[in-house]
Amino acid sequence: MPELPEVETMVRGVRRHCEGRTLLQVEFLECTRRPIPVLPSRTQFEAQAGRTITQVGRLGKRALFFLDSGSVMIIEPRMTGLLLVSSAPSEEHRRVCWHFPKQRGKSDTVEFWDRRGLGTLSLLSPDQFAELQQRLGPDALEITVDEWSQRLKKTDRPIKVALLDQSLVAGIGNLYASEILHRSGISPKRKASRLRKPEIEKMADATLQILTTAIRYEGSTLNDGTYRNALAESGGYQNHHQVYDRAGETCPACGQSEIRRIVQAQRSTFYCPGCQR
């Protein structure tokens, strides 16, 4: 589930515990559950002991640990992964632990926990990282209206499906795509290439508003309770969802139409047929 707001929240939560600190150990914890992919290998990750994390950042829905060697550790949480500086929700799903020297006011460890084992870890060289950046679209918090227009006119896919394409725009997932389109008053079934400039401007504004507000509330914790911030606390933006996972309820915006659920590209889409004609 983690999308841009959740990953940004995790990154902000672990940043001060990692930046400028030297790794004592990268430990892969014993886990009998589905193993997570590690590229190029666990041995390569473990060999980073002694390196310093110079910066902690985000690329779309990925967390980044920049090393003084120029390499980049990339953590992609995907559906159920978390970066934590406090006790994990469960022992059996702990995957990786980064150990640091003791320092007052900072955690000695940062952990990656993943209930379903869908997350990934990658260690990339500077050239490999540059290639990854080129494959992804502009960040959803930084893309301009002109970039939106240029990219959307090239695809006839439904706009909801297009928003999930990370090569078009990086960071938007299923939950926030539904919320953005509802705020914009755009039907998720509309062809992306058919959107008019005023609609694109409205969608660009809605994207910034919703994502920045979700970050302020530290993301959305859904009914499965999986997502947590770095302190293993629930987010708060789920209390502000207008359409996501609210099929059958009356739209809080118009107060008349019933929110519907459809399936697009094998993902659930929630929308209001009254607000989003």
Side-chain angles (χ1 to χ4, degrees):
M1 200 292 296
E3 301 180 22
L4 187 156
E6 288 74 37
V7 177
E8 178 67 22
T9 298
M10 284 188 264
V11 164
R12 294 184 183 190
V14 303
R15 179 175 283 132
R16 76 179 189 87
H17 300 281
C18 297
E19 284 189 347
R21 302 184 74 187
T22 299
L23 286 164
L24 288 178
Q25 181 185 9
V26 180
E27 179 188 11
F28 287 87
L29 305 167
E30 289 189 18
C31 181
T32 60
R33 307 289 178 146
R34 170 178 173 165
I36 61 173
V38 180
L39 298 173
S41 69
R42 291 189 174 194
T43 301
Q44 291 279 22
F45 266 83
E46 292 166 341
Q48 302 313 303
R51 291 295 182 185
T52 298
I53 297 178
T54 59
Q55 182 182 353
V56 176
R58 178 186 58 77
L59 180 64
K61 295 188 282 185
R62 298 166 172 84
L64 312 173
F65 290 174
F66 293 89
L67 303 177
D68 59 355
S69 63
S71 297
V72 187
M73 289 184 179
I74 299 181
I75 303 98
E76 188 172 5
R78 296 199 175 177
M79 293 296 290
T80 58
L82 302 176
L83 279 174
L84 302 164
V85 295
S86 63
S87 298
S90 62
E91 288 293 317
E92 67 268 29
H93 301 109
R94 298 169 66 213
R95 308 291 180 155
V96 188
C97 184
W98 290 266
H99 295 268
F100 302 96
K102 290 187 179 297
Q103 185 174 344
R104 186 173 181 178
K106 296 184 179 181
S107 176
D108 299 340
T109 61
V110 171
E111 286 193 12
F112 181 62
W113 178 96
D114 190 349
R115 179 167 58 83
R116 293 177 61 185
L118 300 176
T120 66
L121 295 179
S122 303
L123 179 66
L124 302 187
S125 68
D127 287 344
Q128 291 171 324
F129 180 63
E131 291 175 7
L132 173 61
Q133 289 178 299
Q134 291 175 357
R135 292 200 304 268
L136 294 177
D139 191 86
L141 289 178
E142 300 173 357
I143 185 171
T144 66
V145 173
D146 286 342
E147 286 176 314
W148 273 119
S149 298
Q150 293 169 9
R151 289 172 174 271
L152 292 177
K153 71 181 181 181
K154 296 178 181 179
T155 177
D156 285 334
R157 291 172 295 178
I159 181 59
K160 165 65 182 342
V161 176
L163 289 179
L164 303 184
D165 181 354
Q166 300 302 295
S167 67
L168 188 147
V169 59
I172 299 174
N174 199 47
L175 189 165
Y176 294 104
S178 287
E179 292 295 315
I180 288 167
L181 292 176
H182 178 259
R183 176 78 65 87
S184 308
I186 297 171
S187 168
K189 304 175 187 178
R190 286 278 301 281
K191 288 184 178 181
S193 60
R194 300 296 296 274
L195 292 182
R196 299 183 295 274
K197 187 67 175 288
E199 293 174 309
I200 294 174
E201 290 174 345
K202 196 169 184 179
M203 189 179 71
D205 185 56
T207 299
L208 284 176
Q209 288 182 19
I210 286 174
L211 296 182
T212 54
T213 302
I215 291 170
R216 189 167 71 247
Y217 282 97
E218 300 198 312
S220 300
T221 299
L222 304 182
N223 292 334
D224 64 5
T226 295
Y227 167 71
R228 296 284 189 273
N229 64 17
L231 297 176
E233 299 169 338
S234 298
Y237 192 67
Q238 66 277 4
N239 301 317
H240 300 271
H241 294 174
Q242 297 293 290
V243 291
Y244 185 80
D245 204 22
R246 299 186 66 173
E249 298 180 25
T250 300
C251 174
C254 68
Q256 297 179 353
S257 297
E258 185 177 282
I259 296 169
R260 294 179 184 173
R261 173 188 175 275
I262 59 174
V263 177
Q264 294 178 294
Q266 301 180 327
R267 304 298 301 276
S268 294
T269 294
F270 299 90
Y271 74 106
C272 170
C275 295
Q276 298 167 261
R277 296 183 183 276

